[in-house]
Amino acid sequence: MGENPAKNHYAQLNQGEENEMEIFGYKTQGCRKALCIAGYILSCGALLLLFYWKPEWDVWANCIRCSLEEADIVLLRTTDEFRIYSRKTVTWISVSALIKSRLDYPGTAEEDSVFSKAIMKPSLQVKSIQVQRIRYVWNIYAKQFQKVGALEDHHTCSAIHAKFGSGLTCNERNVRKVICGPNTIDVPVIPVWKLLIKEVLNPFYVFQLFSVCLWFAEDYMEYATAIIIMSLLSIFLTVYDLRQQSVKLHRLVESHNNITVTVCRNKEGFQELESHHLVPGDMLVLKEGKTLLPCDAILISGQCIVNESMLTGESIPVTKTHLPQADNFKPWRMHCAEDYKKHVLFCGTEVIQTKADDTGVVKAVVLRTGFNTAKGDLVRSILYPKPMNFKLYRDALRFLMCLIAFAAIGMIYTVCVFALNGEEAGEVVKKSLDVITIAVPPALPAALTTGIIYTQRRLKKKGIFCISPQRINMCGQLNLICFDKTGTLTEDGLDLWGLLPCERDCFQDIHSFPADHSLPWGPVFRAMAVCHSLIVWEGKIQGDPLDVKMFEATNWVIDDSSGHKIEGQGSTHATVVRPGPKASSAPVEGVAILHQFPFSSALQRMSVIAQEIGGEQQVFTKGAPEMVAMLCRAETVPLNFESKLLLYTAQGFRVIGLACKSLQAGKQSTDLTREEVESDLTFLGLLIMENRLKRETKPVLEELSAARIRSVMVTGDNIQTAVTVAKNAGMISATNRVILVEANKIPGSFSASITWKPLEENKTEDYRGLAKAMGLEPRSPRVFTSAAPVQDDSPPTTERRIRLALASGQYHFAMSGKSYQIVAQHFRHLLPKLLLNGTVFARMSPGQKSSLVEEFQKLDYFVGMCGDGANDCGALKVAHAGISLSEQEASVASPFTSRTPSIACVPELIREGRAALVTSFCMFKYMALYSTIQYLGVLLLYWQLNAFGNYQFLFQDLAITTVIGVTMSFTGAYPKLVPYRPPSQLISPPLLLSVVLNILFSLSLQVFGFVVVQEQPWYSKTDIYSACLSVNNHMENSSSISSLGLHGMRDGAHGQTDNGYKSYENTTVWLLSTINCLIVALVFSKGRPFRQPIYTNYVFILVLIGQLGICLFLVFADIDDLYSKMDLVCTPTTWRISMVIMLAVTLAASFLVEEAVIENRPLWLLLKKTFRYHSKSHYKRLQRVLEQDSAWPPLNETFFSDSVAISVEGSMGGHSNPTFDSNEDAL
């Protein structure tokens, strides 16, 4: 039964967000419920179990559709490709106890809030549902469920100050507390019994239970007991693992649930209370000293320095400034743009320093509580991970369905054979059900998980930790890796290389570091001493590595006393820097930093207002040179600014622009807006930092390139620096061309333009003309990428040379985050074409990084992301395999974490992933063959109303298959990455052909043995001792076998000496099928090119030799007691040799087919070519189209978009945790 979205019955929850869902309203109906209860009883709980697996069926059976307003049950469905359903009960929250009279009704802060709109009158109740730990209430006016636990987004900056600046009244707080619930991120440790029940109710274990019950009914005790022990062990390990994760997560969050905080109450003053009482809108007062934040809050007065490493993995302290009191109609978040995070203190982070302003207190308004917070979001992403869409797992289900269909045929055959021979109905049912347990291998999931567990263990030894084991197989399919630059490809620390000062619009001589003579006193020196956000923490200077290096070069020190009263600045707590013991003489006692405008990725700069002790106030700005130059007066910027910038960025240096201006006296620094401060600056020069490549970077990228795995750089740095690093690292080879893609919005219109320029062809343009052109959009970063003109070639030759490179596909696109955003909005149709050859993406914000990974995934790439900083956490989560090079707690947001901070872990992970994937396929093929071999053997014997004996089954199932299943996965990964990937699906032609041919070989072998044994001269249907000479002492037993009718397979009805299984056919078929299992295990154990040769897996080889030895011993030994126990009979030696020859022929045929056909890559490529088979991957299809398009890429051309931009706010977000935007990688 599907869903037809009818009016008011259906809505969307969290529209445009990552956890978007569809919600449907239902009302429980009494008679339907009664019928369902009757069904549960009559089906002995089977219907209940089915409803547990399929919650939507439960709702459709018990309820009728209705509007969401009337609903008492809601059905939720995810909007992704999985369409997962979940069922939630609507609950009612009563607020009547809090609202006794009209006067108690929510006051001014509540008028336009969801709290007043959710209370139903006159009952004074609120209708709510809880989805993934977040509470939603029914908005009576909007007729929809809305999230509570967060301050509404529509408040303006001034409204936040006005409404919440003096705190909530006691009554407002109480109403909010009841509706929002407590401010806790509560992850209770799940009781073992709950985990146990959940695990046991897994469909696979239910099937196991069915099998075990059937075996006990048939007296097949030993194997049933073995399977119970194995299943219990498997369940125990899974439950133990889940319990450990639960405990770890509980410990991670419990410390933040009960912190004593000070709040300001309207009309009641300050109060101390437990943090779980906080509600959105509360006024929080931050005391001096270290404090853990129990919620997200907006800073509205003072300044804070926060350690956000708990969430972001960046241990650099971050400066937070208060929300400006801007009086406009824009919501506060839109007013602050991407910069809003600089005013927000996030839950789970630690305030290490507070600086009060004139009011004397540092105050913050509670923005989000509980699971709505940044930390809550991180915890929810661990509790409710995104399901994996991987072909292997879908194919595994199809594979099991095929086996069940296979079993169904066997069941029909069994019923026919036994019913026609007049067997009892009960026996016929048991026999036919038994076929299912033989055809569907019960050990399959256990065997598959062992492979993953071994791989996980091998990765752990190599310092790579994994919190999402099902992604290991996915690593075997990766064909594109996105790398962050700073700290990932290049060293984390920067070295100060030089300073290019500028005076009177001319660059001076470069000052190199480390220099013999120290830097002279002047504006550039002052900028280096004060333009940073460094603090002294635990006796050490802490902050951005770039800031630390720059400040250390001045030999000044930060005065760590608590605060300094500066003339005319009230009681400002200012940071003061003074000359250190090694500093050159300076004419001042020190400089105080009065106010900071912290670094912002969106604005690409930071500024400070500083004052020499006893001197005037000055503004200092540093940031991306292009950005800083735009904010300076044109006459202070040197004419050769552009070529000088290019000279250094083209060598891979990281270049920072510096600027300053004086402020007129008498103005309070806190009253100035950022726009006023950062305008009409004087350009001071360029600071040049060296960012070296890590030693491992180049060889790793070369290895990936040789394996045809694409490498892409996604960085926050300058585009030219990024291109140079990409060339030095080998991402872009020397012969390849780089084409810069620039997209700009056209001022005053909704359209945009896009231009393609070869990077070597950009002529140096007049800077002022450019600045004037860019003045039209002063807030957007413009990347200057002009290179020096090519001197040695005449333009037509250069053009021809580039065209030649382009024709052979040897070109790479480079673009900035701004251009990427505009292309995604205005030139959506061009985005896939650009991504196909896009190698460098510079100046990317965290949201854009996540979006880029998702866009690559839409092209059917399997994307890995490797990064180290906070900016990458969103992309690490979205990618198929995210590898974090950080040992901080943020690694919980990434499936893989590498202890060694280098990208050498990437090929290692791909190697292990490929090996794990191939191991999974081997296991699948082996399990399919083993169950088919046993199934064919049993069906052949059923023809004679015979079957395998108990110990025969036990030997095959336990001694052969279980041991092989455990040891087959020990084979390690092959050290060399080959330039192709293992197949990603079970249903690929080579794999299917391999399984089908081996099934045919097994069938031929068993049928041949079964038929030929009956043709032997010594064969007798009734006398099973006639074949051997030593039968005299057995003759008395032969009379007991009056009939070969089998009464109860595996039930031991005839006592130990002879239970009716013994026959020449049984002995022949069982010995052939058992050794056939060993042949299949050997043939399927693939070595190269993805795993090490099979002989390196010593345990497996020893196991195979041991098993073969035992099997051959059973073939040739003639020990009466042993044969009697194993239900075997004696056959002449010639027949035993004949069986060995049959098996040798089967081995030879199987091995030959596997090597010459299945593993013959050139043959399959030839077949593909012959039948014109082309890959269906989106990117491959696009490649073929572009190869035919001579006009692509359009060089030195500009396109214009005429359509209105489509909003991509949702898609640009990817998964971005609110804190994942630090100053890493951004200058």
Side-chain angles (χ1 to χ4, degrees):
M1 179 178 168
E3 294 292 352
N4 281 328
K7 191 162 172 58
N8 302 332
H9 160 67
Y10 153 90
Q12 279 196 317
L13 209 59
N14 308 326
Q15 202 163 358
E17 292 178 39
E18 195 202 14
N19 56 344
E20 184 182 82
M21 288 182 174
E22 293 170 316
I23 180 169
F24 304 92
Y26 285 90
K27 195 191 282 181
T28 313
Q29 203 180 31
C31 59
R32 281 179 172 232
K33 199 165 179 99
L35 280 169
C36 286
I37 291 168
Y40 302 155
I41 297 161
L42 292 170
S43 65
C44 301
L47 186 64
L48 197 61
L49 187 64
L50 189 65
F51 284 171
Y52 169 76
W53 292 334
K54 288 278 187 186
E56 64 271 30
W57 292 3
D58 181 14
V59 174
W60 294 335
N62 280 286
C63 311
I64 53 166
R65 284 170 53 163
C66 67
S67 68
L68 283 165
E69 201 167 0
E70 303 167 288
D72 60 0
I73 297 282
V74 293
L75 190 59
L76 297 153
R77 182 172 70 190
T78 58
T79 52
D80 55 21
E81 69 264 43
F82 302 99
R83 319 283 277 180
I84 297 164
Y85 281 96
S86 53
R87 171 191 185 276
K88 298 285 167 195
T89 308
V90 174
T91 52
W92 293 88
I93 303 165
S94 174
V95 289
S96 55
L98 302 172
I99 303 174
K100 303 270 190 321
S101 68
R102 184 93 192 109
L103 295 169
D104 288 339
Y105 203 69
T108 51
E110 305 283 319
E111 281 161 15
D112 56 352
S113 77
V114 70
F115 300 102
S116 59
K117 290 174 183 172
I119 299 170
M120 294 191 177
K121 303 176 197 70
S123 64
L124 298 178
Q125 284 186 314
V126 177
K127 185 176 172 178
S128 76
I129 54 170
Q130 189 141 334
V131 183
Q132 292 187 350
R133 311 288 174 108
I134 285 184
R135 191 177 283 181
Y136 298 82
V137 297
W138 180 255
N139 183 328
I140 306 158
Y141 302 98
K143 299 260 187 266
Q144 65 181 32
F145 280 104
Q146 270 181 305
K147 207 182 276 188
V148 286
L151 215 56
E152 285 90 341
D153 285 337
H154 61 72
H155 294 297
T156 61
C157 295
S158 51
I160 288 175
H161 281 276
K163 281 185 183 176
F164 306 106
S166 52
L168 299 171
T169 64
C170 192
N171 196 57
E172 284 169 347
R173 213 200 110 263
N174 290 340
V175 170
R176 286 180 175 229
K177 189 179 176 213
V178 169
I179 295 175
C180 294
N183 168 40
T184 54
I185 300 174
D186 201 16
V187 183
V189 176
I190 308 164
V192 173
W193 66 268
K194 262 191 185 175
L195 288 169
L196 209 58
I197 288 172
K198 196 175 175 189
E199 194 61 25
V200 168
L201 292 180
N202 180 319
F204 164 69
Y205 288 118
V206 173
F207 174 67
Q208 291 272 48
L209 188 67
F210 161 75
S211 304
V212 166
C213 292
L214 187 68
W215 294 332
F216 275 124
E218 296 179 344
D219 223 16
Y220 183 35
M221 299 288 183
E222 296 87 346
Y223 187 57
T225 312
I227 280 289
I228 288 173
I229 293 165
M230 278 169 63
S231 297
L232 286 175
L233 195 67
S234 170
I235 290 169
F236 169 74
L237 285 172
T238 311
V239 167
Y240 175 76
D241 197 33
L242 289 169
R243 172 85 178 179
Q244 289 299 95
Q245 281 182 23
S246 183
V247 169
K248 190 182 172 190
L249 202 54
H250 176 74
R251 285 190 188 138
L252 186 76
V253 296
E254 70 176 339
S255 56
H256 297 192
N257 285 339
N258 265 337
I259 298 163
T260 307
V261 291
T262 308
V263 293
C264 176
R265 288 268 177 272
N266 199 342
K267 302 182 184 133
E268 291 175 37
F270 298 118
Q271 288 179 3
E272 285 212 345
L273 49 89
E274 294 279 302
S275 62
H276 64 255
H277 293 300
L278 289 174
V279 296
D282 256 336
M283 168 60 61
L284 206 57
V285 178
L286 298 168
K287 301 281 178 70
E288 276 193 23
K290 286 188 183 181
T291 325
L292 270 178
L293 278 163
C295 60
D296 288 359
I298 311 170
L299 197 60
I300 61 166
S301 75
Q303 189 178 317
C304 290
I305 289 161
V306 185
N307 173 16
E308 291 188 343
S309 66
M310 177 70 201
L311 284 179
T312 63
E314 272 299 85
S315 51
I316 297 164
V318 181
T319 304
K320 303 283 183 177
T321 56
H322 66 76
L323 187 75
Q325 281 202 357
D327 203 12
N328 64 9
F329 302 107
K330 272 189 186 170
W332 71 277
R333 214 174 275 210
M334 281 174 70
H335 171 77
C336 304
E338 269 198 56
D339 224 15
Y340 80 89
K341 296 187 182 94
K342 298 296 167 194
H343 312 305
V344 179
L345 305 167
F346 292 104
C347 174
T349 60
E350 188 180 31
V351 177
I352 46 183
Q353 211 172 344
T354 57
K355 292 181 185 176
D357 54 14
D358 308 346
T359 57
V361 282
V362 178
K363 294 195 288 188
V365 172
V366 175
L367 172 65
R368 289 180 287 253
T369 57
F371 278 96
N372 292 285
T373 58
K375 184 167 185 195
D377 192 43
L378 194 64
V379 173
R380 282 192 321 119
S381 67
I382 300 165
L383 288 172
Y384 307 101
K386 205 172 161 186
M388 293 304 309
N389 182 13
F390 190 45
K391 289 173 188 163
L392 180 71
Y393 300 111
R394 283 177 306 179
D395 286 352
L397 281 171
R398 288 178 192 162
F399 167 77
L400 283 173
M401 290 299 137
C402 291
L403 288 179
I404 289 166
F406 207 39
I409 298 165
M411 281 176 78
I412 296 164
Y413 163 85
T414 308
V415 170
C416 294
V417 170
F418 281 93
L420 289 171
N421 280 281
E423 282 288 332
E424 291 170 28
E427 284 299 313
V428 175
V429 169
K430 272 203 268 181
K431 302 258 181 320
S432 54
L433 287 176
D434 211 27
V435 172
I436 295 186
T437 66
I438 293 169
V440 181
L444 178 62
L448 283 179
T449 43
T450 51
I452 297 286
I453 289 164
Y454 295 145
T455 308
Q456 209 172 343
R457 206 179 290 162
R458 283 198 295 269
L459 285 171
K460 200 169 182 178
K461 279 183 189 165
K462 290 168 182 170
I464 301 167
F465 300 94
C466 168
I467 63 161
S468 178
Q470 74 269 30
R471 290 195 190 230
I472 292 176
N473 277 337
M474 224 160 204
C475 295
Q477 283 294 305
L478 296 180
N479 55 0
L480 185 148
I481 314 285
C482 294
F483 292 100
D484 172 40
K485 182 179 77 69
T486 310
T488 304
L489 297 173
T490 59
E491 295 288 356
D492 218 350
L494 292 153
D495 293 322
L496 208 56
W497 185 82
L499 173 72
L500 195 64
C502 165
E503 278 177 37
R504 293 184 299 283
D505 82 356
C506 284
F507 282 119
Q508 307 299 303
D509 292 340
I510 191 156
H511 179 94
S512 296
F513 294 97
D516 308 328
H517 61 287
S518 54
L519 206 61
W521 172 255
V524 179
F525 188 96
R526 283 200 294 277
M528 287 173 66
V530 298
C531 195
H532 52 72
S533 52
L534 299 174
I535 60 157
V536 175
W537 182 29
E538 294 173 350
K540 274 177 73 184
I541 290 178
Q542 301 272 0
D544 189 295
L546 185 151
D547 286 356
V548 174
K549 287 280 185 200
M550 178 183 79
F551 183 70
E552 281 174 352
T554 63
N555 290 323
W556 278 39
V557 292
I558 296 175
D559 191 341
D560 192 27
S561 46
S562 58
H564 301 271
K565 220 171 162 68
I566 307 295
E567 297 159 43
Q569 289 301 316
S571 61
T572 304
H573 285 247
T575 301
V576 173
V577 291
R578 303 179 188 278
K582 292 182 186 170
S584 54
S585 59
V588 291
E589 188 191 326
V591 184
I593 302 166
L594 306 179
H595 190 71
Q596 276 186 35
F597 295 98
F599 176 82
S600 150
S601 296
L603 302 175
Q604 299 179 5
R605 60 180 181 273
M606 73 158 292
S607 299
V608 295
I609 299 174
Q611 182 177 11
E612 289 177 17
I613 293 173
E616 61 167 3
Q617 287 185 31
Q618 280 186 306
V619 172
F620 293 96
T621 299
K622 82 168 192 302
E626 314 93 328
M627 184 48 74
V628 171
M630 273 170 50
L631 301 171
C632 293
R633 300 196 311 279
E635 64 271 16
T636 66
V637 180
L639 289 170
N640 61 343
F641 166 84
E642 177 124 332
S643 55
K644 281 284 187 191
L645 174 61
L646 188 80
L647 177 71
Y648 294 108
T649 55
Q651 293 172 60
F653 288 115
R654 197 166 186 180
V655 183
I656 311 295
L658 300 171
C660 75
K661 77 168 178 184
S662 296
L663 285 178
Q664 64 255 49
K667 255 208 162 182
Q668 276 285 80
S669 62
T670 48
D671 296 341
L672 294 166
T673 65
R674 191 161 190 161
E675 283 73 16
E676 289 174 302
V677 169
E678 294 174 339
S679 60
D680 297 327
L681 300 168
T682 301
F683 187 73
L684 292 178
L686 298 172
L687 195 63
I688 299 154
M689 324 275 297
E690 194 173 16
N691 196 191
R692 295 192 189 95
L693 276 180
K694 285 183 180 172
R695 199 179 64 246
E696 309 87 358
T697 299
K698 200 165 181 181
V700 166
L701 291 177
E702 280 169 358
E703 184 179 5
L704 292 177
S705 174
R708 291 205 187 146
I709 295 168
R710 248 184 90 182
S711 300
V712 170
M713 188 191 292
V714 189
T715 176
D717 206 342
N718 171 290
I719 197 161
Q720 186 68 58
T721 306
V723 168
T724 309
V725 170
K727 284 182 172 177
N728 293 345
M731 258 187 202
I732 299 171
S733 73
T735 55
N736 291 4
R737 288 275 164 256
V738 179
I739 298 168
L740 179 79
V741 179
E742 255 193 17
N744 291 296
K745 280 187 178 162
I746 296 166
S749 79
F750 287 112
S751 60
S753 66
I754 182 167
T755 312
W756 283 263
K757 301 178 197 162
L759 207 56
E760 288 80 359
E761 277 295 283
N762 293 342
K763 303 283 187 288
T764 307
E765 298 167 69
D766 175 31
Y767 170 71
R768 284 189 182 77
L770 253 167
K772 200 188 280 179
M774 287 184 302
L776 297 166
E777 43 169 340
R779 285 282 159 259
S780 66
R782 163 79 184 212
V783 182
F784 292 70
T785 45
S786 56
V790 181
Q791 302 289 320
D792 52 347
D793 284 340
S794 59
T797 323
T798 311
E799 183 71 31
R800 202 162 49 248
R801 198 156 50 86
I802 291 170
R803 272 278 158 229
L804 202 67
L806 299 185
S808 58
Q810 296 175 325
Y811 61 90
H812 300 261
F813 290 128
M815 65 165 87
S816 67
K818 187 196 87 177
S819 296
Y820 170 75
Q821 186 105 14
I822 293 167
V823 169
Q825 283 177 317
H826 294 268
F827 301 97
R828 193 86 205 160
H829 63 289
L830 290 175
L831 191 60
K833 293 181 179 182
L834 292 170
L835 295 185
L836 205 58
N837 284 78
T839 301
V840 174
F841 296 86
R843 297 272 186 244
M844 297 286 276
S845 72
Q848 287 167 345
K849 287 183 179 185
S850 306
S851 163
L852 179 72
V853 168
E854 286 182 324
E855 291 298 334
F856 274 128
Q857 287 171 332
K858 284 177 193 170
L859 288 176
D860 296 332
Y861 278 108
F862 279 85
V863 186
M865 171 77 200
C866 183
D868 71 324
N871 284 354
D872 305 320
C873 280
L876 288 170
K877 291 200 64 165
V878 175
H880 289 114
I883 310 148
S884 161
L885 305 184
S886 137
E887 266 201 283
Q888 293 286 350
E889 278 293 354
S891 57
V892 290
S894 162
F896 299 96
T897 310
S898 170
R899 190 191 279 158
T900 45
S902 90
I903 64 166
C905 62
V906 175
E908 201 54 68
L909 192 59
I910 295 172
R911 273 193 285 272
E912 288 294 352
R914 286 178 171 188
L917 191 55
V918 171
T919 301
S920 296
F921 287 142
C922 292
M923 271 330 303
F924 262 119
K925 285 165 67 176
Y926 174 70
M927 284 296 176
L929 256 294
Y930 139 72
S931 53
T932 311
I933 289 167
Q934 202 177 61
Y935 168 84
L936 292 171
V938 168
L939 292 191
L940 274 174
L941 294 176
Y942 272 4
W943 187 252
Q944 291 193 331
L945 306 187
N946 196 341
F948 290 155
N950 272 10
Y951 285 106
Q952 290 178 334
F953 271 117
L954 197 62
F955 185 81
Q956 278 191 356
D957 292 342
L958 222 53
I960 302 284
T961 302
T962 308
V963 179
I964 284 176
V966 170
T967 56
M968 197 188 236
S969 312
F970 283 165
T971 314
Y974 194 61
K976 186 178 184 297
L977 278 178
V978 289
Y980 51 92
R981 299 172 295 160
S984 63
Q985 50 189 38
L986 273 172
I987 304 175
S988 64
L991 280 168
L992 276 181
L993 187 67
S994 173
V995 170
V996 170
L997 287 175
N998 277 287
I999 286 175
L1000 289 174
F1001 293 150
S1002 301
L1003 182 64
S1004 311
L1005 174 73
Q1006 292 190 35
V1007 170
F1008 186 75
F1010 184 77
V1011 173
V1012 173
V1013 76
Q1014 295 175 9
E1015 303 299 317
Q1016 298 307 307
W1018 43 262
Y1019 173 78
S1020 163
K1021 200 165 189 173
T1022 50
D1023 182 5
I1024 54 166
Y1025 300 105
S1026 62
C1028 289
L1029 300 172
S1030 59
V1031 293
N1032 304 333
N1033 56 335
H1034 297 303
M1035 279 319 260
E1036 63 272 16
N1037 288 333
S1038 62
S1039 58
S1040 68
I1041 309 164
S1042 53
S1043 150
L1044 258 178
L1046 175 64
H1047 300 295
M1049 180 174 114
R1050 308 176 179 174
D1051 61 359
H1054 292 289
Q1056 196 189 329
T1057 48
D1058 180 13
N1059 54 19
Y1061 296 135
K1062 291 179 181 173
S1063 71
Y1064 292 119
E1065 290 90 345
N1066 174 300
T1067 302
T1068 303
V1069 169
W1070 185 79
L1071 287 170
L1072 288 176
S1073 62
T1074 307
I1075 300 177
N1076 196 1
C1077 287
L1078 299 181
I1079 290 173
V1080 165
L1082 180 68
V1083 168
F1084 283 169
S1085 293
K1086 296 230 170 49
R1088 284 178 294 205
F1090 303 112
R1091 301 201 308 168
Q1092 287 183 346
I1094 191 65
Y1095 54 77
T1096 59
N1097 186 350
Y1098 309 117
V1099 181
F1100 180 63
I1101 290 295
L1102 286 172
V1103 161
L1104 275 185
I1105 292 168
Q1107 288 173 335
L1108 185 65
I1110 294 166
C1111 289
L1112 290 175
F1113 176 73
L1114 285 173
V1115 171
F1116 289 105
D1118 189 9
I1119 303 163
D1120 292 345
D1121 289 347
L1122 178 66
Y1123 267 34
S1124 178
K1125 196 87 174 159
M1126 292 301 294
D1127 296 311
L1128 298 173
V1129 293
C1130 176
T1131 55
T1133 310
T1134 50
W1135 179 244
R1136 301 178 198 200
I1137 292 166
S1138 305
M1139 284 198 287
V1140 172
I1141 292 167
M1142 283 184 233
L1143 288 162
V1145 170
T1146 309
L1147 171 64
S1150 189
F1151 194 77
L1152 195 69
V1153 163
E1154 200 71 18
E1155 288 302 309
V1157 180
I1158 310 299
E1159 292 295 298
N1160 188 340
R1161 191 172 154 77
L1163 175 70
W1164 288 102
L1165 291 174
L1166 184 69
L1167 287 171
K1168 274 185 180 180
K1169 209 171 175 182
T1170 311
F1171 292 105
R1172 295 198 175 157
Y1173 170 81
H1174 293 300
S1175 167
K1176 291 185 179 67
S1177 295
H1178 194 154
Y1179 74 94
K1180 288 274 192 192
R1181 291 207 304 266
L1182 199 57
Q1183 265 172 354
R1184 291 195 291 274
V1185 170
L1186 292 184
E1187 277 166 15
Q1188 310 302 318
D1189 188 354
S1190 57
W1192 182 264
L1195 274 185
N1196 297 317
E1197 286 182 39
T1198 303
F1199 291 178
F1200 294 90
S1201 72
D1202 44 8
S1203 58
V1204 177
I1206 50 164
S1207 170
V1208 286
E1209 285 307 306
S1211 65
M1212 279 293 127
H1215 174 92
S1216 179
N1217 196 300
T1219 52
F1220 295 154
D1221 190 359
S1222 79
N1223 32 5
E1224 190 271 338
D1225 218 36
L1227 281 179

